[in-house]
Amino acid sequence: MEALALGYSPCPNDTFIFYALAHGRVESPVPLEPVLEDVETLNRWALEGRLPLTKLSYAAYGRVRDRYVALRSGGALGRGVGPLLVARRPLPRLEGARVAIPGRNTTAFLLLSLYAQGFHPVEVRYDQILPLVAQGEVEAGLIIHESRFTYPKYGLAKVADLGEWWEEETGLPLPLGAILARRDLGEGLILELDRAVRRSLEYALAHPEEALDYMKAHAKELSEEVIWAHVRTYVNGFSLDVGEEGERAVARLFAEAEARGLVPPSAAPLFL
């Protein structure tokens, strides 16, 4: 049987979740071929429908709801997980400021667009943001992934926690990313793939140290302390199943984005 391409990022939460599937530790309904790419690359590919199964920012999902559907397992939602806005010095207002962002299709950029207006986004790969801010090439940076744990090393300070802002505004967890399946795979296979992703995560939770070498092989930050902090932050109960509260959070994010014209409306179900 031809292998099905599975896209996910090299970040520790994704490599932790998919370790068991990538190494045949759990059963999959079809052979899977891992494709590891920066999440913004995966976001852009999804606009073309390129991969049948892929990690995606929720902001990008908002633009491809008619083509893809989210699995209930494998995603990143939660509290205390939001992107941070950092700068070299206090920044009382963002209007007119150059802000390095990790991609226009990321949930981080969508949140910043809901939070503030009038800034000038400078799009770069997420792991290049901290050096740009530290060197003074931009006034602020919107950071995600491992950068949330390492920005003090660059002499930078937190200006805003957009996850905290979202939680205060809505009372809901913050949706960051999901595993999406192209709807043309069919409901039966998609449900089987969802169960396989959950089995993979359950295996990693039961054998966490077994996944460490795989995570270190792909992580931008090799410190084991940072890697495990990343996993603890982004892998939680919502990763096993998005649940009713998670579904409400995703619906609220899309409603806010639609109201601002940031994503097109869609009547397609968000989850199977």
Side-chain angles (χ1 to χ4, degrees):
M1 184 180 297
E2 185 177 349
L4 198 69
L6 164 61
Y8 53 93
S9 83
C11 295
N13 61 309
D14 283 351
T15 48
F16 181 79
I17 289 171
F18 289 108
Y19 163 76
L21 271 174
H23 293 81
R25 299 292 192 269
V26 296
E27 185 181 356
S28 172
V30 293
L32 296 175
E33 179 184 349
V35 178
L36 276 70
E37 287 287 351
D38 170 71
V39 71
E40 183 63 354
T41 298
L42 297 175
N43 288 339
R44 290 196 300 268
W45 285 357
L47 299 176
E48 309 165 7
R50 186 164 171 177
L51 297 181
L53 190 62
T54 183
K55 173 71 175 284
L56 217 60
S57 298
Y58 269 110
Y61 182 25
R63 299 182 176 93
V64 296
R65 282 177 281 177
D66 292 340
R67 177 176 278 175
Y68 285 91
V69 64
L71 304 188
R72 303 193 65 84
S73 299
L77 296 88
R79 293 181 167 83
V81 300
L84 304 180
L85 191 67
V86 298
R88 290 182 298 161
R89 56 182 65 88
L91 198 64
R93 53 188 295 177
L94 281 184
E95 188 173 355
R98 294 167 299 165
V99 181
I101 64 166
R104 291 179 180 271
N105 297 302
T106 60
T107 306
F109 181 61
L110 175 59
L111 279 174
L112 186 61
S113 300
L114 294 172
Y115 175 79
Q117 291 80 43
F119 61 91
H120 301 297
V122 178
E123 192 171 3
V124 297
R125 201 174 66 189
Y126 81 92
D127 57 333
Q128 298 173 351
I129 292 176
L130 291 178
L132 283 181
V133 182
Q135 293 159 15
E137 296 187 33
V138 292
E139 283 74 51
L142 184 62
I143 59 172
I144 57 176
H145 301 328
E146 300 101 314
S147 301
R148 293 183 83 257
F149 309 102
T150 59
Y151 71 89
K153 296 180 182 178
Y154 290 80
L156 305 179
K158 180 173 66 175
V159 173
D161 183 327
L162 297 186
E164 187 177 278
W165 168 77
W166 168 264
E167 292 168 38
E168 290 174 353
E169 290 287 313
T170 68
L172 293 166
L174 174 65
L176 292 174
I179 310 304
L180 303 189
R182 237 178 22 221
R183 294 181 189 270
D184 62 9
L185 292 177
E187 184 174 341
L189 178 56
I190 294 172
L191 288 172
E192 289 186 49
L193 289 167
D194 192 8
R195 289 191 284 269
V197 171
R198 177 163 182 148
R199 286 195 295 271
S200 187
L201 174 53
E202 289 173 338
Y203 184 95
L205 291 171
H207 310 86
E209 292 295 332
E210 192 177 319
L212 182 58
D213 285 345
Y214 187 55
M215 291 190 289
K216 289 177 72 172
H218 296 286
K220 300 295 183 183
E221 169 58 60
L222 293 178
S223 160
E224 289 187 19
E225 181 182 358
V226 170
I227 286 172
W228 288 121
H230 188 110
V231 171
R232 287 192 299 270
T233 299
Y234 294 107
V235 179
N236 53 38
F238 292 111
S239 304
L240 285 167
D241 189 295
V242 65
E244 184 272 338
E245 186 180 33
E247 288 192 48
R248 285 194 291 113
V250 176
R252 175 67 179 271
L253 180 66
F254 287 158
E256 296 285 343
E258 287 176 18
R260 300 279 190 92
L262 299 173
V263 301
S266 173
L270 295 175
F271 300 89
L272 285 184

